[in-house]
Amino acid sequence: MLAPDPYPTDAPGGPVLTSPAAGEGEPERGAPEQPGRTRRTHEEARRAVARVEAGGQRLHVLLIEDDPGDAFLVGELLDEADAPVVLRTATTMSEALTRLDQVDCVLLDLGLPDASGLSALRQLRRAGSGVAVCVLTGIADEHLGIAAVAEGAQDYLVKGRVDGILLSRAVRYAVERQRADENALRLREAELRQAESARLERGLLPKPLMEPGIAVLKAFYRPGRQRALLGGDFYDAVQTGPARLSLLVGDVSGHGAEEAALGVALRVAWRALTLAGVPEDDLLPALERVLIAERRTEEVFATLATVTVDVAAAEATVRICGHPPPLLISGTKVRPVAGRPAMMLGVFPTLESRPSRVPLPDDWALLTYTDGLIEGRVGDGRLGVGGLCRLVAAHRRTGAPLAELPDWLFAEAEERHGDPLPDDVAMLLLTRYEP
């Protein structure tokens, strides 16, 4: 029951209603009687609460209280303050747990027939995720109040020491604190996901292992951030001889951390096998075994293109597995490399890819890319390989530096699409070194 203290000295905002028949404006003990001033103060506070809540939604409050008298007085306190709440009552914890839907705040008594003390609070917190909780009890114990707040309660109120204004304010503050806590938690989770994505991106976008003076490599990567997910595009470049370079560009189907992790595994496996001198005819089947072993479902596959460039012999060897063909650039002439495309990795493991050997002109450049660059809309269709060739040729006719080509291509493709490109985009531009 509410403590029978008709003259509390620690309740701000006016006198406390301790019974339904309590008089309004009763003076504090030992103070001169000023009923008119007390009433004015109370009315001003009541109107202030009403003004703050005007136009806002009414809060849904669940009172868990087994004493009908106390439950009645809580309703009277809130009504007196014109608190914008919809109050419902449950007399047991088991009943309350079935009524937590669409509840903003719970007023919890710690002495229930089927739950008591902090165990009642813990039980409510476990079941009522996202619901603010204010303890409203007759136990005036400071240590218990501290422990209740530590267990997740937003406030600890003692019966008989709160009036309607204070109770209404405590409910509103509790709801806002709960929302602030949830926002902080979501922000922290977003920061952790961003850090995880950054680590995966570092694995997808390695530092090429190349000595200077052989060729010039320009790498480009843009994730499809509008989905707030990391994609599975990856690339790599390593030097395997005095004038021999190997390039890889690939894409794991799907978008997200699992696909990105699989892309990292494939890239690392490719670099290790390439540096170990594994023959190219055996390299792609080995990558396919890694894919099959590491993928989460049989529907996951990967496309990729590998390019081995013998700078001294002016020749490139290209292998394509379900991937867009690289582009050979010479002056203003641009053409896709005529290859022998094979099926993407992970679909028909028994199929083998065959290399295509391409002679390189004196002013050669090779552009490898993922399909996110060419799948943007252009009119009623897609940009496609043909549209990309025309864009590259248009850039070369401007006389702009070749090193600016990847950024320019991405900007042009996005402008024609009309929106941010929906997929990740990765590019490697390898150009002949000119002293």
Side-chain angles (χ1 to χ4, degrees), residues 377-382 416:
R377 296 186 304 271
V378 177
D380 295 333
R382 302 285 181 179
R416 283 161 173 75

Side-chain angles (χ1 to χ4, degrees), residues 127 166 231 272 303 332 370 382 386:
L166 180 58
T303 69
T332 59
T370 55
R382 302 285 181 179

Side-chain angles (χ1 to χ4, degrees), residues 242-314:
R244 188 178 180 87
L245 304 172
S246 293
L247 277 64
L248 168 73
V249 172
D251 183 6
V252 177
S253 62
H255 305 282
E258 292 184 357
E259 287 76 11
L262 182 54
V264 173
L266 293 176
R267 184 200 65 77
V268 172
W270 178 85
R271 173 177 280 202
L273 294 171
T274 301
L275 293 176
V278 174
E280 292 186 0
D281 290 339
D282 300 329
L283 197 149
L284 293 182
L287 286 184
E288 190 161 44
R289 289 196 296 272
V290 173
L291 170 68
I292 294 174
E294 296 292 334
R295 65 185 178 183
R296 55 185 174 85
T297 65
E298 294 184 356
E299 290 75 21
V300 176
F301 61 88
T303 69
L304 57 84
T306 63
V307 180
T308 301
V309 180
D310 191 331
V311 178

Side-chain angles (χ1 to χ4, degrees), residues 13-28:
V16 178
L17 286 181
T18 56
S19 69
E24 182 175 335
E26 189 172 355
E28 294 184 359

Side-chain angles (χ1 to χ4, degrees), residues 347-424:
V347 178
F348 295 109
T350 58
L351 295 182
E352 297 181 359
S353 64
R354 296 182 179 181
S356 298
R357 302 188 184 280
V358 182
L360 301 177
D362 292 338
D363 58 345
W364 62 269
L366 284 167
L367 177 69
T368 56
Y369 53 93
T370 55
D371 58 4
L373 181 63
I374 61 174
E375 289 189 343
R377 296 186 304 271
V378 177
D380 295 333
R382 302 285 181 179
L383 179 63
V385 176
L388 182 62
C389 289
R390 290 189 290 272
L391 281 180
V392 174
H395 178 270
R396 301 313 303 132
R397 287 192 293 269
T398 65
L402 194 57
E404 299 176 359
L405 177 61
D407 294 273
W408 186 86
L409 284 177
F410 179 81
E412 289 293 317
E414 197 165 58
E415 180 179 352
R416 283 161 173 75
H417 182 67
D419 288 306
L421 293 176
D423 200 358
D424 302 339

Side-chain angles (χ1 to χ4, degrees), residues 9 35 86 144 182 226 246 263 286 348 422 429:
T9 59
V86 177
L144 181 59
E182 291 177 351
Q226 66 272 21
S246 293
F348 295 109
L429 177 65

